[in-house]
């Protein structure tokens, strides 16, 4: 019975009344209850996923309309205080839209509805595209965003669409948590088995006790309350990168900035952990740090 349960093939029909003892009968009931429980949990997950999808679907049109009407309002010759309020409507609508998208992506990734499709590609393109997408945010905040990728191709295995989103989340944070006048630098280095992408910022950093928590779902530092966000960006980034056979970790010191490193396997579908010697001297093994595969 236990073997069947472990293999997922247990069924109450396997229970033969003529030969079972009291213990067997109780075991059968227990296994049956646990099987029903599993089915209930799976059903619950499906419901939550479909609820989130519905919310996303139903809110998309009204949100787009609110944004459109606010933009039309801004074209009506408003005075400066009125225009500022209209701009606030547009900005906050965009934030809400982004948050809903993150919730939907989280739900889809967790329910297995989205599967990563890693393929060998040049990681420099990934970096260039992600940095270009964050440029205007960096500019408007007065932050120097540098993408230093070099001349040689950096071939690695990743899903360009999803890893692009993961990298944008990380660069976006670096900009968000770095004060005006600071710098965010994205660079990449190739190892024997991995390509490592570093996003380094000169921002406020992360307390040592908080480092293991930053990849948690909905986790935000107390000091982040004055910045927009829901604590899903890094959680999503880690789900995506590990789904492509890579991993991600963070180093930081309060007041001295942070470095988020994304390791992408050079082997398609590779999930091997690199030997310690392949990690830069002076660094702990990625699997010993926060964000590594659990
Ligand atoms: P969000 O930024 O939406 O709050 P994330 O999951 O992207 O959510 O990040 C979780 C938390 O980790 C942030 O709220 C912030 O406290 C911390 N964090 C992430 N990136 C940085 C960074 N580059 N510098 C300082 N703190 C950061």
């Amino acid at each position: 019975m236990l073997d069947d349960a472990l293999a997922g093939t247990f069924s109450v029909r396997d229970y033969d009344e003529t030969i079972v003892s009291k213990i067997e009968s109780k075991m059968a009931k227990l296994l049956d209850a646990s099987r029903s429980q599993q089915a209930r949990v799976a059903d619950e997950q499906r419901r939550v996923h479909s609820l989130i999808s519905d919310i996303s679907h139903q809110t998309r049109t009204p949100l787009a309309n609110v944004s459109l009407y606010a933009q039309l309002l801004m074209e009506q010759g408003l005075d400066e205080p009125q225009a500022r309020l209209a701009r606030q409507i547009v900005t906050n609508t965009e934030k809400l839209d982004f948050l809903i998208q993150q919730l939907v992506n989280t739900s889809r990734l967790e329910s297995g509805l989205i599967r990563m499709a890693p393929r060998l590609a040049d990681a420099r393109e990934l970096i260039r595209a992600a940095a270009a997408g964050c440029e205007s945010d960096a500019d408007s905040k007065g932050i120097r965003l540098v993408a230093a990728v070099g001349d040689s191709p950096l071939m690695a295995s990743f899903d360009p669409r999803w890893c692009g989103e993961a990298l944008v989340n990380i660069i976006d944070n670096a900009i968000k948590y770095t004060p005006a006048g600071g710098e965010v630098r994205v660079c990449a280095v190739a190892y024997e088995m991995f390509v490592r992408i570093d996003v380094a910022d000169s921002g406020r950093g992360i307390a040592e006790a908080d480092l293991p928590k930053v990849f948690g779902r909905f986790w935000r530092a107390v000091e982040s309350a004055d910045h927009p966000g829901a604590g899903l960006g890094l959680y999503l980034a880690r789900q995506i990168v590990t789904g492509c056979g890579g991993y991600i970790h963070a180093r930081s010191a309060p007041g001295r900035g942070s470095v988020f490193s994304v390791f992408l396997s050079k082997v398609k579908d590779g999930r091997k952990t690199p030997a310690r010697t392949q990690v830069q001297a002076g660094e702990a093994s990625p699997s010993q740090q926060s964000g590594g595969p659990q």
Side-chain angles (χ1 to χ4, degrees):
M1 272 182 205
L2 286 172
D3 282 344
D4 286 349
L6 288 170
T9 54
F10 172 77
S11 130
V12 251
R13 278 188 298 276
D14 298 341
Y15 165 78
D16 179 351
E17 273 201 68
T18 57
I19 57 163
V20 291
S21 66
K22 268 185 170 177
I23 291 175
E24 281 174 313
S25 132
K26 287 199 172 151
M27 181 72 78
K29 278 187 194 148
L30 182 70
L31 293 178
D32 190 40
S34 117
R35 201 185 46 152
S36 323
Q37 183 71 15
Q38 275 172 3
R40 259 201 305 278
V41 170
D43 192 45
E44 204 58 43
Q45 274 175 340
R46 272 192 296 276
R47 278 172 205 248
V48 170
H49 172 69
S50 107
L51 178 70
I52 290 176
S53 290
D54 285 351
I55 293 172
S56 143
H57 192 70
Q58 300 296 335
T59 50
R60 183 152 296 158
T61 312
L63 269 179
N65 285 342
V66 172
S67 183
L68 178 73
Y69 290 131
Q71 277 163 25
L72 289 174
L73 196 64
M74 276 155 56
E75 290 165 16
Q76 305 299 309
L78 305 179
D79 59 27
E80 187 38 39
Q82 291 169 331
R84 202 177 57 239
L85 293 177
R87 275 198 301 275
Q88 285 290 340
I89 297 177
V90 176
T91 313
N92 282 285
T93 313
E94 282 166 359
K95 280 180 194 162
L96 191 56
D97 192 37
F98 180 72
L99 173 63
I100 291 173
Q101 256 337 294
Q102 280 199 329
L103 275 172
V104 171
N105 286 343
T106 304
S107 154
R108 284 182 180 158
L109 276 169
E110 285 180 350
S111 62
L113 224 93
I114 296 176
R115 291 210 187 281
M116 295 299 122
R119 60 178 172 82
L120 284 175
D122 190 347
R124 290 178 311 163
E125 291 308 317
L126 182 74
I127 295 171
R128 284 193 195 111
C134 297
E135 217 164 66
S136 73
D137 280 351
D139 278 354
S140 54
K141 202 177 162 185
I143 285 179
R144 206 166 97 88
L145 175 59
V146 183
V149 286
D151 299 326
S152 319
L154 292 167
M155 300 307 285
S157 171
F158 58 91
D159 182 317
R161 148 125 177 52
W162 286 102
C163 283
E165 174 145 344
L167 199 54
V168 164
N169 285 352
I170 296 169
I171 300 176
D172 210 45
N173 278 345
I175 296 169
K176 197 158 63 169
Y177 302 113
T178 297
E183 183 178 279
V184 172
R185 176 172 280 269
V186 190
C187 61
V189 55
Y191 294 93
E192 197 183 321
M193 292 172 70
F194 279 81
V195 165
R196 169 176 138 183
I197 301 172
D198 278 353
V199 178
D201 66 59
S202 61
R204 66 167 194 227
I206 301 164
E208 199 183 335
D210 285 345
L211 260 184
K213 304 179 198 160
V214 290
F215 295 96
R217 204 218 262 145
F218 295 119
W219 187 86
R220 308 197 75 210
V222 183
E223 314 86 72
S224 300
D226 50 344
H227 294 280
L232 282 172
L234 288 180
Y235 173 75
L236 268 174
R238 186 172 78 168
Q239 296 281 105
I240 292 168
V241 172
T242 52
C244 288
Y247 48 91
I248 178 170
H249 76 96
R251 285 176 284 144
S252 186
R256 304 223 316 268
S258 312
V259 183
F260 283 82
S261 300
V262 174
F263 288 77
L264 298 173
S265 172
K266 281 175 142 182
V267 189
K268 193 165 177 298
D269 301 327
R271 281 168 195 277
K272 287 183 194 154
T273 306
R276 245 187 110 73
T277 47
Q278 285 156 353
V279 177
Q280 255 180 4
E283 276 194 13
S285 148
S287 56
Q288 293 176 318
Q289 303 188 24
S290 53
Q294 308 266 305

